[in-house]
Amino acid sequence: MSIISPFSEMSKAEVIKLGSELNVDFSKTWSCIISGKIHCGFCVPCRSRKRAFNSIKIEDPTNYYYNIDPNQIDELVKKLSFEELYEKYLKPFLQYTAEYPKEFVDNYVNIMKKCGAKH
């Protein structure tokens, strides 16, 4: 058995550029690791997606819950504790999507706290 990964050697920007040349409808592609309903705009894959579109000057058709510049998010992640990030950003997003039961979210937060979550 072999695994074929044609984009593994390409940056996200290169993949988007190629997709644009092939007329890919990027509104039907997904990056967010937190949600399946709407891109959060806050997680690392969402930030990477935003940066890739920006770097090659192609309009990003993605609807993000948080339309914050990725560099600003990087700064927030550096200066806020996990608890502050959760309360100000993750919790409102999870409540908005209503994808996860409260018990799941509470368990996730507790695990992240116990692990000394680094964001």
Side-chain angles (χ1 to χ4, degrees), residues 3 27 34 43 47 62 65-66 89-90 107 110 115 117-118:
I3 297 174
S27 69
I34 298 176
C43 69
R47 284 183 264 167
T62 310
Y65 184 78
Y66 291 110
Y89 297 99
L90 185 58
N107 286 335
N110 288 331
C115 293
K118 297 291 180 201

Side-chain angles (χ1 to χ4, degrees), residues 6 13 30-31 47 52 59 81 88 109:
W30 206 261
S31 296
R47 284 183 264 167
E59 185 177 341
S81 69
K88 289 183 177 183
V109 170

Side-chain angles (χ1 to χ4, degrees), residues 40-71:
C40 71
F42 206 87
C43 69
V44 172
C46 280
R47 284 183 264 167
S48 176
R49 181 183 181 102
K50 288 178 181 182
R51 284 187 173 103
F53 275 102
N54 287 338
S55 73
I56 57 174
K57 312 264 189 287
I58 292 177
E59 185 177 341
D60 183 355
T62 310
N63 290 320
Y64 296 102
Y65 184 78
Y66 291 110
N67 287 307
I68 304 171
D69 180 89
N71 296 324

Side-chain angles (χ1 to χ4, degrees), residues 1-111:
M1 175 165 60
S2 64
I3 297 174
I4 300 170
S5 53
F7 305 118
S8 64
E9 300 298 318
M10 297 172 72
S11 70
K12 191 168 280 233
E14 291 169 328
V15 171
I16 290 172
K17 185 174 185 219
L18 175 62
S20 179
E21 292 166 1
L22 298 171
N23 297 314
V24 168
D25 180 354
F26 288 107
S27 69
K28 295 181 180 176
T29 64
W30 206 261
S31 296
C32 188
I33 60 169
I34 298 176
S35 173
K37 291 183 179 180
I38 183 172
H39 284 80
C40 71
F42 206 87
C43 69
V44 172
C46 280
R47 284 183 264 167
S48 176
R49 181 183 181 102
K50 288 178 181 182
R51 284 187 173 103
F53 275 102
N54 287 338
S55 73
I56 57 174
K57 312 264 189 287
I58 292 177
E59 185 177 341
D60 183 355
T62 310
N63 290 320
Y64 296 102
Y65 184 78
Y66 291 110
N67 287 307
I68 304 171
D69 180 89
N71 296 324
Q72 289 177 299
I73 297 171
D74 292 347
E75 291 305 313
L76 288 170
V77 167
K78 286 179 191 173
K79 76 177 188 179
L80 299 178
S81 69
F82 177 76
E83 288 82 6
E84 290 170 314
L85 284 170
Y86 173 74
E87 286 298 323
K88 289 183 177 183
Y89 297 99
L90 185 58
K91 185 176 178 180
F93 176 69
L94 293 172
Q95 289 171 334
Y96 171 79
T97 64
E99 289 180 81
Y100 306 102
K102 182 183 182 321
E103 298 80 22
F104 175 87
V105 174
D106 290 344
N107 286 335
Y108 167 75
V109 170
N110 288 331
I111 289 168

